[in-house]
Amino acid sequence: MSNSLEVLLEKLSDDNEGIRWNAAEALGRLGDLRAVEPLIDTLWDDDERVRKKAAWALGMLGDPRALAPLQRLYRMEREDARDILQEAMDMIKQAMARDLR
């Protein structure tokens, strides 16, 4: 595993929510699918902003493993958080459609 990936994955469980938020964003930009499962776990973070950033990152990664957890969170989350969750699910579905071509 690359060193930057390892560091970012460790930061997903930092005590500081800002660090967790930044780690989720960086993982989404990094594009390494090994981050999918840890980001799925982060969907249940105590901080709403961290949950939303994890959803965004999963959308960026486009891995279908994240669809069911995102759908589950969508049903549980407040209305104002649902837009980012829907956007993430749409991004994954688009990636899946591209892969089928």
Side-chain angles (χ1 to χ4, degrees), residues 20-56:
R20 295 193 308 274
W21 186 93
N22 283 324
E25 179 171 16
L27 287 165
R29 294 188 190 283
L30 190 61
D32 191 319
L33 294 181
R34 293 176 291 180
V36 170
E37 293 295 332
L39 284 166
I40 288 172
D41 292 342
T42 305
L43 290 174
W44 315 111
D45 193 276
D46 291 337
D47 188 277
E48 178 184 359
R49 295 169 304 142
V50 175
R51 293 193 303 270
K52 287 196 266 187
K53 189 51 76 172
W56 173 86

Side-chain angles (χ1 to χ4, degrees), residues 1-14 20 23-24 26-27 30 32-39 42:
M1 199 177 301
S2 71
N3 192 34
S4 58
L5 179 66
E6 288 177 32
V7 169
L8 291 170
L9 291 175
E10 284 178 23
K11 290 183 179 197
L12 284 178
S13 56
D14 195 276
R20 295 193 308 274
L27 287 165
L30 190 61
D32 191 319
L33 294 181
R34 293 176 291 180
V36 170
E37 293 295 332
L39 284 166
T42 305

Side-chain angles (χ1 to χ4, degrees), residues 33 36 39-40 43 54-71 84-100:
L33 294 181
V36 170
L39 284 166
I40 288 172
L43 290 174
W56 173 86
L58 288 164
M60 293 293 289
L61 294 174
D63 191 297
R65 292 177 288 173
L67 267 181
L70 285 166
Q71 290 166 339
I84 189 71
L85 294 168
Q86 186 61 58
E87 189 176 317
M89 290 185 285
D90 291 346
M91 291 167 69
I92 292 169
K93 290 174 187 173
Q94 289 169 3
M96 291 168 63
R98 279 193 306 275
D99 290 346
L100 291 176

